[in-house]
Amino acid sequence: MRGGKNLMKLNLSRKIALYVGLLTLVVSIAFGLVALRFGTSAVEETADEALLLLAEEGAEKLETYIQGVFDVIATIADTGSLKSMSWGTQQFALEKEVTRLKSSGYISMGVVYPDGTTLFTDDSKANLGDREYVKKAFRGETNVSDVIIDRVTNTAVLMYATPIYDNFDKIGGVLVVTKAGSDLTDITDNMGYGKNGFAFIFGADGAFFAHPNREAIMKQLNIYTDLKEGGVYENVGQEMQKLGVGNPGVVRYIVTEIPRLAGVYPMKLTGWTFAVGAQEVDVLARLGGLKAGIYISAIVFVISGILVALLIGRIISKPITRVSEFAAGIASGDLTCHIDETFLRLGDEAGDLARAFETLGGSLRRTISEIQNSAQDLAASGEEMSAAAENSSANMEKMSASTEEISASLEEIASATQDIAAASQQMNASTSELLENMVEGNKSAKETEEHASKVQSDAETGRRRSAKIYADLDARMKEGIEKAKIVSEISSMANQI
């Protein structure tokens, strides 16, 4: 019995612990998801801000580099040798500059004359008058071309152009400088966000000028062309269209099934767009610590909740178990058990339950005591009834004897009645005989008169004796009836009890 009670108690405690544990788990998961969501949002916002800042800094760095090249070639174009507009003088001066700047990625230099004829220091000749960068230079603007693929050398190059002012301070030609296109990728390769970070540059038309994948440059892949043709960089083109050309911002896209995000910033000096990016997994890697913290916190929180729930379960189940034991004792007939005063003093629902059962036990004890007292009274009444029954039996025996006496008296009355009848018959006979013998004389009359007197005397005696017997029988019958009433009342009382 005790083992069953302990099992019930443990079950109740475990149920409370289970429910609280489940509730704690649900709350922990909910808070974890909310924290993770807000954490992810915060990390993404931080990453967006960082990427946009990196993109702005990268664009400024690239523009500073390009502006440095502009300054170098503008300084060269401003020398007296180039102002002379004599190719011989210019070639000699430019050859020296190429040799001096070769380590800085300068490949060749040349002069474009007003008719478009272009002479280079390597003695090559071309007509570049229709090139946009040359036209801008003739308009007085130092600028750089988009990346050009030299099919002869299969290399990417950049053409810088700056006006040459002659001795009359008029634009007499344009200085063009060829530099390796790898200068841009050498800069962008060192940029990026996170472990797998990257950076790239694309022009106003969407063609890549710098990219971690050199083939993207050599094949002149274009984000807007891929958008139309469903190429690899289609998603980049879609996001750039949403952002708007020339607008800074952060774009999210997928390339080769890898989610990426990049900060985009326009390069006003060239009209290009610089982007620095990261793989999403690297950005969200910073959430690993947050996730681990959330998981650990949730586990600790759940375990703590279960332990606290077990303690609470014991506190709650203890009075309930005691009340259950009390109820089981009452059910088995043990009315001497009581609930501990400790539980009766509780001010909660468990205390109310304990007090209610204690009151119930007291009521049962009082009820049983009253029943016992009533049983004792009933036993006494039973004894009285038994005595009354015995008296009734004696009275009944007396009534039976009286009845027998009455019966005997009745028999005597019957016998007397028969005698009277016989006497009457005899008197009738005598009367008839008297009448018949009346004629015989007065002799027989005297005998008849005497005999009649005797008969009359016997009849009167029988009548008085019958009256006495009837009076005595009536008194006895009344006494018997009274006694029968008493017996009936005692029987009724016995039935009621």
Side-chain angles (χ1 to χ4, degrees):
M1 183 69 180
R2 177 67 63 179
K5 293 175 182 177
N6 290 334
L7 181 60
M8 180 192 70
K9 176 181 177 182
L10 290 176
N11 284 341
L12 180 59
S13 300
R14 288 175 180 174
K15 284 180 180 180
I16 294 174
L18 177 62
Y19 296 149
V20 173
L22 290 175
L23 178 62
T24 305
L25 180 61
V26 171
V27 172
S28 298
I29 291 175
F31 274 110
L33 292 175
V34 172
L36 189 60
R37 180 177 179 182
F38 279 102
T40 302
S41 178
V43 169
E44 289 180 347
E45 288 179 4
T46 302
D48 289 354
E49 293 174 359
L51 286 171
L52 190 58
L53 182 61
L54 288 174
E56 183 179 3
E57 292 176 351
E60 290 178 355
K61 184 176 182 179
L62 286 166
E63 288 183 329
T64 299
Y65 168 78
I66 294 172
Q67 185 62 53
V69 176
F70 287 175
D71 293 342
V72 169
I73 64 175
T75 300
I76 295 172
D78 197 41
T79 61
S81 299
L82 267 68
K83 283 179 174 290
S84 68
M85 294 307 299
S86 170
W87 172 242
T89 303
Q90 291 172 330
Q91 184 178 17
F92 179 76
L94 291 177
E95 285 176 350
K96 289 182 11 178
E97 293 294 339
V98 170
T99 301
R100 181 175 68 87
L101 298 172
K102 188 174 184 180
S103 60
S104 298
Y106 289 77
I107 298 173
S108 67
M109 296 184 183
V111 177
V112 181
Y113 294 97
D115 62 354
T117 301
T118 305
L119 302 176
F120 290 95
T121 53
D122 58 0
D123 293 329
S124 62
K125 183 178 180 182
N127 191 325
L128 303 179
D130 59 344
R131 302 297 193 269
E132 186 62 32
Y133 58 90
V134 173
K135 292 179 180 180
K136 287 182 179 180
F138 271 114
R139 293 196 295 267
E141 179 183 350
T142 301
N143 68 100
V144 63
S145 69
D146 293 341
V147 172
I148 300 170
I149 304 301
D150 188 341
R151 298 305 176 186
V152 177
T153 61
N154 197 31
T155 58
V157 296
L158 288 171
M159 300 295 294
Y160 292 85
T162 188
I164 300 174
Y165 291 90
D166 58 19
N167 293 324
F168 300 101
D169 204 23
K170 292 182 179 180
I171 298 177
V174 172
L175 172 63
V176 291
V177 177
T178 304
K179 281 180 64 64
S182 60
D183 287 353
L184 297 178
T185 55
D186 289 343
I187 297 173
T188 59
D189 283 348
N190 296 319
M191 298 180 181
Y193 185 89
K195 181 180 178 180
N196 299 298
F198 54 88
F200 56 88
I201 301 171
F202 58 89
D205 63 349
F208 287 111
F209 298 156
H211 197 279
N213 182 9
R214 300 297 188 266
E215 289 187 2
I217 303 170
M218 298 306 297
K219 292 181 179 180
Q220 295 185 300
L221 296 182
N222 189 301
I223 61 173
Y224 298 126
T225 301
D226 281 4
L227 177 61
K228 295 177 182 178
E229 299 176 357
V232 177
Y233 299 98
E234 174 187 11
N235 199 208
V236 182
Q238 291 175 344
E239 295 302 315
M240 284 306 303
Q241 279 191 341
K242 292 178 183 178
L243 179 63
V245 178
N247 294 325
V250 176
V251 294
R252 286 174 168 76
Y253 59 92
I254 297 175
V255 173
T256 61
E257 299 182 354
I258 298 176
R260 308 166 189 257
L261 61 161
V264 177
Y265 204 85
M267 298 172 61
K268 296 180 180 179
L269 185 63
T270 59
W272 303 341
T273 299
F274 172 71
V276 58
Q279 292 185 6
E280 190 177 82
V281 65
D282 293 337
V283 173
L284 299 181
R286 300 171 64 182
L287 291 173
L290 177 61
K291 288 181 180 179
I294 291 173
Y295 294 151
I296 293 173
S297 299
I299 292 172
V300 172
F301 192 48
V302 170
I303 293 175
S304 301
I306 291 175
L307 293 177
V308 172
L310 284 172
L311 178 61
I312 295 174
R314 285 181 62 84
I315 294 173
I316 294 175
S317 63
K318 194 172 182 179
I320 295 176
T321 302
R322 184 64 191 93
V323 170
S324 176
E325 293 173 352
F326 173 79
I330 292 294
S332 64
D334 183 8
L335 299 180
T336 62
C337 57
H338 292 274
I339 296 177
D340 297 341
E341 188 66 24
T342 303
F343 304 126
L344 296 177
R345 287 198 299 266
L346 295 176
D348 54 12
E349 287 78 1
D352 295 339
L353 182 64
R355 287 187 290 273
F357 268 87
E358 181 65 21
T359 302
L360 175 62
S363 299
L364 286 174
R365 283 190 287 271
R366 287 192 298 272
T367 302
I368 295 301
S369 178
E370 292 174 358
I371 291 173
Q372 289 177 344
N373 294 333
S374 298
Q376 292 176 356
D377 294 340
L378 184 61
S381 299
E383 292 177 356
E384 293 178 356
M385 288 176 61
S386 178
E390 291 178 357
N391 292 332
S392 298
S393 177
N395 292 329
M396 291 298 292
E397 289 177 356
K398 291 180 179 179
M399 288 178 64
S400 177
S402 298
T403 302
E404 290 177 356
E405 292 179 358
I406 293 170
S407 178
S409 298
L410 289 174
E411 289 178 356
E412 291 179 358
I413 292 170
S415 176
T417 302
Q418 290 177 356
D419 291 340
I420 292 171
S424 296
Q425 290 177 358
Q426 186 177 2
M427 186 178 66
N428 290 331
S430 296
T431 302
S432 298
E433 186 179 355
L434 179 61
L435 290 174
E436 290 177 358
N437 295 320
M438 192 177 280
V439 292
E440 292 181 2
N442 290 326
K443 183 181 181 176
S444 297
K446 188 176 180 179
E447 291 178 359
T448 301
E449 182 180 359
E450 291 177 355
H451 185 70
S453 296
K454 185 180 180 181
V455 170
Q456 184 178 3
S457 177
D458 291 339
E460 182 64 24
T461 300
R463 184 188 63 78
R464 286 195 300 269
R465 190 175 180 182
S466 295
K468 182 179 180 182
I469 291 172
Y470 274 113
D472 187 41
L473 180 60
D474 182 63
R476 291 183 181 183
M477 284 295 291
K478 287 181 179 180
E479 183 181 358
I481 290 170
E482 290 298 326
K483 291 181 179 180
K485 287 182 180 180
I486 292 172
V487 172
S488 176
E489 290 177 358
I490 291 172
S491 176
S492 177
M493 287 175 63
N495 290 333
Q496 288 179 357
I497 292 174

